[in-house]
Amino acid sequence: MIVVEKNLERLVGQFGICDQSLFDGFSLRVSQGNFYFSPIESSVGQKVIYGRSPQVSGLFSEKKEIEQNLILAPGAKVISCSKDMYKMPLGYFGLLQTKGTLARLFVQATCNDGQVEPGFHGYITLEIINMSPWSIEIPVGSDIAQLYLIKCSSEAESGYNGRYAEEAKKGPTLPIFK
């Protein structure tokens, strides 16, 4: 069951999921944060073995701060994060979706990693891709995605403690190979 309207608004206040101002009727607004990583040009074409190699430091730039707008040339891709932190209650699961207007410009805020597990606490990482033929500028703080909360069939016994749990409290997270 997707939680909406008054139930969602009460849930945000009850559990401190996010700032109350992010409540938007049927979902919670997710805004563009201040930092991002981009692929290093010299790594293009490099062989990546999923889960094993190479070190991600050789694939991505150092963390960059967005001064005013995130500028995405056609085909550009970055790893960024939400401007705000979110704290998911144990009995709820979040699904992230790109805002419609941004999607209609052929920009995706997630590459299908749009889930927020019960117990997650941190910034939501966004894999932003400009699939359009245009250069797109996204001002910091712009609403770029929406988070839907779904009631779980049972409450999780423990909160999210995956490999990104601690890194998510610092900002966007790069791939972590075990």
Side-chain angles (χ1 to χ4, degrees), residues 25 33 51 56 59 62 83-84 94 100-101 119 128 137 149 152 156 161-162 176:
V56 295
L59 300 176
E62 294 294 319
K83 183 175 178 72
D84 303 283
T101 302
I128 304 173
E137 292 190 29
L149 270 60
C152 297
N161 61 1
I176 299 173

Side-chain angles (χ1 to χ4, degrees), residues 26-81:
F26 296 102
S27 62
L28 303 175
R29 291 194 318 274
V30 177
S31 303
Q32 174 60 53
N34 298 316
F35 299 97
Y36 72 98
F37 296 98
S38 58
I40 296 173
E41 288 296 322
S42 63
S43 72
V44 173
Q46 184 173 342
K47 181 178 181 178
V48 175
I49 301 173
Y50 174 72
R52 290 191 289 181
S53 70
Q55 293 295 323
V56 295
S57 60
L59 300 176
F60 293 94
S61 68
E62 294 294 319
K63 187 191 293 188
K64 298 177 187 177
E65 186 168 5
I66 304 167
E67 293 186 24
Q68 195 169 22
N69 297 332
L70 175 62
I71 301 171
L72 298 169
K77 17 186 135 14
V78 299
I79 293 180
S80 187
C81 69

